[in-house]
Amino acid sequence: MKEYFPSIPKIKYEGAASDNPLAYKFYNPEEVIAGKKMKDQLRFSAAYWHTICAAGSDMFGAATADKTFGNTDPMDLAKAKAYAFFEIIDKLGIEFFAFHDRDIAPEGTTLSESNKNLDVMVDLFESLMKEYDKKLLWGTANMFNNPRYMHGAGTSCNADVFAYAAAQAKKAIEVSVRLNASGYTFWGGREGYDTLLNTNMGLEVDNMARFLKLTTEYGRSIGFKGAYYIEPKPKEPTKHQYDFDAATVIGFLRKYGLDMKLNLEANHGTLATHTFQHELRVARTEGFFGSVDANTGDLLLGWDTDQFPNDVYDTTLALYEIIKAGGFTTGGLNFDSKARRASFKPEDVFISHIMGMDSMALGLRFADKLIKDGRIDKFVEERYASYSSGIGKKIVNGTVTIQELEKYALEQGDVKTNQSGRQEYLEGVINQVLFG
Amino acid sequence: MKEYFPSIPKIKYEGAASDNPLAYKFYNPEEVIAGKKMKDQLRFSAAYWHTICAAGSDMFGAATADKTFGNTDPMDLAKAKAYAFFEIIDKLGIEFFAFHDRDIAPEGTTLSESNKNLDVMVDLFESLMKEYDKKLLWGTANMFNNPRYMHGAGTSCNADVFAYAAAQAKKAIEVSVRLNASGYTFWGGREGYDTLLNTNMGLEVDNMARFLKLTTEYGRSIGFKGAYYIEPKPKEPTKHQYDFDAATVIGFLRKYGLDMKLNLEANHGTLATHTFQHELRVARTEGFFGSVDANTGDLLLGWDTDQFPNDVYDTTLALYEIIKAGGFTTGGLNFDSKARRASFKPEDVFISHIMGMDSMALGLRFADKLIKDGRIDKFVEERYASYSSGIGKKIVNGTVTIQELEKYALEQGDVKTNQSGRQEYLEGVINQVLFG
Amino acid sequence: MKEYFPSIPKIKYEGAASDNPLAYKFYNPEEVIAGKKMKDQLRFSAAYWHTICAAGSDMFGAATADKTFGNTDPMDLAKAKAYAFFEIIDKLGIEFFAFHDRDIAPEGTTLSESNKNLDVMVDLFESLMKEYDKKLLWGTANMFNNPRYMHGAGTSCNADVFAYAAAQAKKAIEVSVRLNASGYTFWGGREGYDTLLNTNMGLEVDNMARFLKLTTEYGRSIGFKGAYYIEPKPKEPTKHQYDFDAATVIGFLRKYGLDMKLNLEANHGTLATHTFQHELRVARTEGFFGSVDANTGDLLLGWDTDQFPNDVYDTTLALYEIIKAGGFTTGGLNFDSKARRASFKPEDVFISHIMGMDSMALGLRFADKLIKDGRIDKFVEERYASYSSGIGKKIVNGTVTIQELEKYALEQGDVKTNQSGRQEYLEGVINQVLFG
Amino acid sequence: MKEYFPSIPKIKYEGAASDNPLAYKFYNPEEVIAGKKMKDQLRFSAAYWHTICAAGSDMFGAATADKTFGNTDPMDLAKAKAYAFFEIIDKLGIEFFAFHDRDIAPEGTTLSESNKNLDVMVDLFESLMKEYDKKLLWGTANMFNNPRYMHGAGTSCNADVFAYAAAQAKKAIEVSVRLNASGYTFWGGREGYDTLLNTNMGLEVDNMARFLKLTTEYGRSIGFKGAYYIEPKPKEPTKHQYDFDAATVIGFLRKYGLDMKLNLEANHGTLATHTFQHELRVARTEGFFGSVDANTGDLLLGWDTDQFPNDVYDTTLALYEIIKAGGFTTGGLNFDSKARRASFKPEDVFISHIMGMDSMALGLRFADKLIKDGRIDKFVEERYASYSSGIGKKIVNGTVTIQELEKYALEQGDVKTNQSGRQEYLEGVINQVLFG
């Protein structure tokens, strides 16, 4: 088989002192952390769209990287990308991947032609997955790029678009089932509005629920056992997206009784003015934790930069939440991340994944260390101790009356029992865990 | 009775050409707009805390305005403020007002002393309300200023604080009932966290629901017939507040089955990166529209500026949503607004309310004109027409299957029926309505 | 000559009551406002790149509008666009236009080929400008789209790129001179950095100055009499752009003694967290006011939306500053604005310009009315009156000593002469001017 | 002498494994890093206003910490604070401090009374500084808190305020000279505007320069040999502050020829949408680096949080810039930082400084390691190598003509020499330095 990146070796763990750019310094796949091998804790996944499709264009600039491998025919190109992609994840030792239907096969002039192209490529994927022993973390349908989706997909003002989107999602779910995906994700890229002046919000949100109900139930009917994910994002490309953040989406899922969990993306959380840890905490507290789109944004920029995660504070606190949520079951860490436009060499694809994986590996190591250190968990436990006995316990148990609370407060006169929140102490503990 | 602002006359409507700073140019209370008198559509309310308490301090500066009227004794001062306040709203012709318990009476060294002070002042309020024919739009308890609430009230890590807050809210509800309030508002000023490192989010959110259940049910038990409001705010003073925005709060209310509507503040919406119209639209679409804290923020500043509303685009679109929601029933436009720190003269209190009321009056006039113009409503109706017949109707009725949608889409081949969203045209219509 | 938009008539002024989407409601070109015809005050310019090139793509979606007019050959397409563009501005009655070199002619495989293509198109432009009696507001070179500029142009880390950019700008200036441009603009789309980790900021900023010196002096040497503009933008596509905002750029121009004025874009100002009025005020106060890229951003979104200006508060205050700066000489109002992606019909190109021009026309009418009203100017004059006599005059004249100031202050004891800033009163005056 | 914090011992270095909250884990004052003792590299300074004055109030809450030590008389309280403060910095081993005039002595009813109070306290400071061997990093005048400064100080619309401010600054400079300060800082807390509607920006900016000229020249005339600093901040409390950021201020200083350097605060930089490293880089590149206000903001909040620095990425990159700038001469790391409102115990004052100092110490260790590692510096050097010879060298030397550049570019045809920016690789190097 043709090698697409002959100068790139299999990426190995060489430890923290290595100055080899093509080696892991912190990610040691077989090492056991928190009771499992690192690779099983982290369940890394590469995003087909960034890793092998995205070529560095931005709103003000054309592509900088050549990912055509000399092809011009769309189907030849699609196949070459598939071969190259599996070589990449094989060399990186990444077990999972994720894709949109239109990433892997060219769109035809009709839906049936698109489906046909997709089927051809799914055959190839099936054989490559077997050959390389790789797994599909989740599939999804791209329902935002094509002009037909200019007003949304499930929330389009045009019923023809709703129908088309349902048909496209149906096929994408079928494909995902065929490839034995652990999950299926809905990112509502244009499920929102550009201006309220032309928008019937009530109908659109109801339709979004109708769309998800139809498609998720269909998947179950054909034997899909994995998790459905919905992926919050507050805005971009639209002015407002209905699945704004974790809390909003959970309210929506509860209202309509939908069978879905959350796929949380770090950069989407920060665009909604939340930390990534916050989004994960909401999901685990509410019981909707599913999977993660691993990346980072730039908090001083106002758009989705999809940078590879590099901040180990963020990865540590994310992994802390993930471990506390019980770890991944169907989900994983999917790198919805792209090398910067100026990192345009083939080597940069590998180096950027290495950096992201090492950052996550450090996060895992430190999250485990933090839990073992115990100071923070213990502090939190003691901080809320007043709810474990006396009046506090009755509050939690729901056995207190407001009259009883009033009597208690009047007797106390004022509160004399507040303790320091000790934020700076706890921040110091984090630094000790990371740098001690 | 002593007149506190002898140089200020009763504020009258003089029309758009008046150059009298102490006259309404656009607010004509008795004029009928959209089927009701302006005063009944707008139901203006003055905020006791800003109008008579706030004296211009900010994080970097001491008070600039003197609102002591020569008093030093706390109870004397409280009474003087009450007299002065009723003179202000009487001269402005504002029918409603709102207050926190601690705005109107000084906090004592114990809860019972605070309650006693409050009772004295409530007696005075009762008589002043009668004398001036003024109504209480809503009452509330200040559960964020006192150090005891440093970790929150209903969400405090300290059960003693929960108890104290419940007792305080109980009293504030009793007072509101006694003063025949149309509503009672909960703004969870510190119901959130400063750092996740010390926070049990699950317990805190559950406790917030327990707190609201206890207090709202108590109110009903003593005969409160008005509306309970919860007021979203995403942050400030805390890092994160659980009642982030309209969508988040609605999800929370549904989860816990709470008997509450929303009190939406413009500046809180924009801090959550939403337009005010968006927040109102969410509330009306979901059936939770209640009342409004009328102000504006500065979108280029990152804190709650509580400026008097001056942008007539904003007030027009807000009133448009309010009219579409059926108009105010228990709620109103409460000016949670303060004159700028440098507008420190007594006259500025009047002028800033006049400006805010005129801005809202313009908004009402234009919202009515916009609806009568009809172009926007008609455009929206036609834009979604595909859901009124054929496949679209079946989607909405829930009678379509995914197989049927697929068949339809395959037959179409691709979508050929998208129409322009015409945002710029609609923006031009708005300008014609405002300036034509 | 072939008509590209046969269904679109010449756009006429029909007045505020017209419901014809293809008519001006507020822009009456021959009407005299503030001593000049509206068209001469506003000097509207269409942006070639948006009006005839941009087709609605965004970071998550492909083009929605077809602007190929059936062409596939690059030079045929370029010519068709030129014909269509001049038809558009002729029908809109827009006198000026602006373009990048690469907008009007396809890039060749070498610089000389690109230059040759450009020459062909410039011949055509020359004849079309004559035929339609249109003028070039300014020319510019696109030095950000091509991958060669991935690290910047004048600030590239690669001297070959500096050389190429200089050659490209040289040609673009020659072309601008040939087409008798009133100005020439530098927008440093990638003159900044993506990460400080790989950046020599000192060298880059010096090189930017060297680049501007070489190119602007060359223009003078071949007889360019117009204005050079530099266009501030804080970020996007880069993490940081050296020409961050008006104040930063003015400091840079003074440091290096460059012969340039500012071309200020509304949306760039707001990305730098300034109001557009602020940027204009800085430029006029410092004597660097030049030209304007007319558009608006969405203050709740963090990227450059380039929307057509629709907020008449903004356009009024912008025109107020422009009139106070003496009005346009070489500059004008260039619509660096694009119809929204979902406004994809040919008609939307016209309607969006109409809306933008009407918004600017309203701004001009109100700015003139505001100045004639006089209340705001008079208030400001009186507010600073203390600097016109006594100690204040000596401060301004530079004849006071610090000892004298201290003596004065000690004698006063404290300041007793502060007056209210009256912000709310002034905001009310603005609303009277707009809606009275 | 009375001990104010008897339960707090002298804070010692105990190393990274210590779980003693009252010990340094990373700051080892006598250890030599990068050629100097840590204490001499870092030159820590405590901010009098936060450390001993600020008591936890915020815009929605009263003070939580009691820093009165039982005093009610203003002068007694001032003295107690001074004793307590010197005990704090002595126990922490902090060598420097900074204060505003009004922090250390109560404001009188007249300027002369204020001066008298100040003189009394300066006597005490002089003796305490001698006794504890402590030094004044810089002095400053608080010209923003008192209502008289509501419209600014040097930029006030009221000449009486300019005079008063000049007199106050004169006195503060005298006091600083007497206490042998290494510097004197101007933070223009209200040197900006709240609304352009009432503002003469040109006069205000000129007056700001006049004010700085008068005061800085006066200092030199009485023998001040230290550095004058101006401290940028973009906004808050004002809508806009003229000393927006480093670049803006440098342009201002150059225009008016002022003898000042920059005192850069991390949180002010991020409010201006810059990283702290960016602000430091601008200052060192332009030759204006002076001193640092060490803290951190929360990038997801829009106000000045003044948190103790805890992010070691930030401190590493800051120290990297400081070392590259030649290290501190007159300046130092002044903790313009406050414990969170809920960290209200006396112990928290110590713990928060410890955490901040340890974070800075880690930053110093890693900055040194990064420079010794050399990979990043070498990468940058090689990245710009094309400017060291050939056409690049001529560009830098200013010996190239535009015709020569064009000839070169035409011969090349296109640029073939771009290299990857390698951002992800460099981010991985940073993680190796921090965690390897």
Side-chain angles (χ1 to χ4, degrees), chain A residues 194-253:
Chain A
D194 284 320
T195 173
L196 280 175
L197 294 179
N198 68 15
T199 300
N200 181 337
M201 188 193 277
L203 178 60
E204 291 204 357
V205 175
D206 284 346
N207 279 354
M208 185 160 86
R210 289 174 185 123
F211 184 87
L212 293 170
K213 202 152 190 76
L214 276 166
T215 48
T216 55
E217 290 183 350
Y218 173 71
R220 294 300 179 216
S221 79
I222 61 165
F224 180 59
K225 301 274 186 287
Y228 289 115
Y229 305 120
I230 184 166
E231 181 177 328
K233 188 177 184 187
K235 63 190 68 169
E236 197 205 20
T238 60
K239 155 80 179 156
H240 177 81
Q241 195 161 312
Y242 296 127
D243 44 14
F244 189 84
D245 61 4
T248 300
V249 169
I250 290 168
F252 167 81
L253 295 178

Side-chain angles (χ1 to χ4, degrees), chain D residues 43-203:
Chain D
R43 290 170 62 91
F44 285 127
S45 162
Y48 202 84
W49 55 99
H50 283 315
T51 301
I52 201 63
C53 300
S57 65
D58 65 23
M59 278 309 289
F60 295 86
T64 54
D66 184 354
K67 297 186 175 179
T68 63
F69 311 104
N71 293 279
T72 49
D73 173 78
M75 282 304 290
D76 289 348
L77 175 56
K79 286 172 192 165
K81 280 181 187 293
Y83 286 112
F85 178 77
F86 278 88
E87 183 184 328
I88 291 170
I89 61 175
D90 184 55
K91 287 187 167 173
L92 284 166
I94 290 177
E95 191 177 352
F96 296 91
F97 67 102
F99 66 84
H100 302 86
D101 50 1
R102 298 298 174 252
D103 302 335
I104 70 168
E107 181 138 22
T109 54
T110 61
L111 178 56
S112 46
E113 197 181 313
S114 299
N115 286 349
K116 212 177 305 168
N117 291 346
L118 188 55
D119 286 334
V120 173
M121 289 305 302
V122 168
D123 286 345
L124 177 58
F125 267 62
E126 205 166 32
S127 73
L128 286 167
M129 286 168 68
K130 199 169 169 186
E131 184 181 329
Y132 282 104
D133 193 20
K134 299 298 172 193
K135 293 171 194 146
L136 182 56
L137 189 71
W138 45 261
T140 189
N142 181 326
M143 306 195 299
F144 47 88
N145 181 74
N146 190 288
R148 83 175 65 86
Y149 295 122
M150 63 172 71
H151 305 306
T155 65
S156 175
C157 53
N158 183 354
D160 286 0
V161 176
F162 185 107
Y164 193 102
Q168 186 181 337
K170 176 175 177 289
K171 179 71 182 174
I173 292 169
E174 290 163 0
V175 161
S176 299
V177 170
R178 185 177 152 201
L179 295 178
N180 200 25
S182 304
Y184 184 89
T185 291
F186 292 84
W187 174 59
R190 296 194 195 270
E191 308 296 31
Y193 62 80
D194 284 321
T195 174
L196 280 175
L197 294 178
N198 68 16
T199 300
N200 182 338
M201 188 193 277
L203 178 60

